[in-house]
Amino acid sequence: TGIAGVAPGTTLSTTPPFALWNPPASGRNLYIIRVTLAYVSGTLGAGALWYAFVNGQNAAPTTGTALTSNTTVIGAVGSATGKAYQGSTVASTPSPLRPSALSFGAFLATTAAINPPQSEEIGGNLMVVPGGVFVVQAVAAAGTTPLVGIGVEWGEERAA
């Protein structure tokens, strides 16, 4: 997501803070490698991030912000097949896959403890087929103007 952060959400909805769409005609599968969560500001409500999905998303998510994907191969030329979005609208309420290992308590900027970024290694065990959307969204208490950064690393392979 953008460095200014995004509200993590309170329940699975059609406007997730982060969505990764695989266009139907891409000819590629997307493999989720790692998800990272970082506190930006506000008071977080206690809860956890969830991984969820939408199938049959034939058109790009609407509204929100289309994000620029950066390759981890520094200096490489080209663009990613997968399209990442912040705060966009997806075709239907996402179906839950599982809770992530990334959770947070009622944290705020004045909390004495340090809240470092958290990262979960997925290792390619979640795959987004063409026409699918991978969603990261909190199921948590509302908090007060909470903002987080969400990072998703994925790999791409030609679909069989």
Side-chain angles (χ1 to χ4, degrees):
T1 57
I3 60 173
V6 62
T10 58
T11 187
L12 295 178
S13 75
T14 57
T15 55
F18 180 87
L20 174 62
W21 177 58
N22 189 356
S26 72
R28 298 196 173 269
N29 292 323
L30 312 180
Y31 294 89
I32 307 301
I33 297 168
R34 179 180 297 113
V35 177
T36 303
L37 172 71
Y39 169 78
V40 175
S41 65
T43 303
L44 296 176
L49 287 185
W50 275 76
Y51 303 140
F53 69 95
V54 173
N55 282 331
Q57 176 94 22
N58 294 321
T62 58
T63 66
T65 303
L67 301 170
T68 301
S69 300
N70 295 307
T71 179
T72 57
V73 181
I74 307 304
V77 178
S79 61
T81 298
K83 306 299 179 196
Y85 297 87
Q86 175 178 315
S88 62
T89 300
V90 295
S92 62
T93 300
S95 298
L97 285 167
R98 66 175 176 85
S100 78
L102 311 175
S103 62
F104 36 85
F107 184 85
L108 64 156
T110 58
T111 301
I114 296 172
N115 189 28
Q118 302 175 56
S119 186
E120 180 179 11
E121 188 73 30
I122 306 297
N125 290 322
L126 297 175
M127 180 177 68
V128 185
V129 299
V133 181
F134 173 70
V135 168
V136 180
Q137 188 164 25
V139 176
T144 305
T145 60
L147 294 176
V148 297
I150 299 171
V152 175
E153 294 177 41
W154 73 90
E156 302 185 357
E157 233 176 52
R158 188 175 313 276

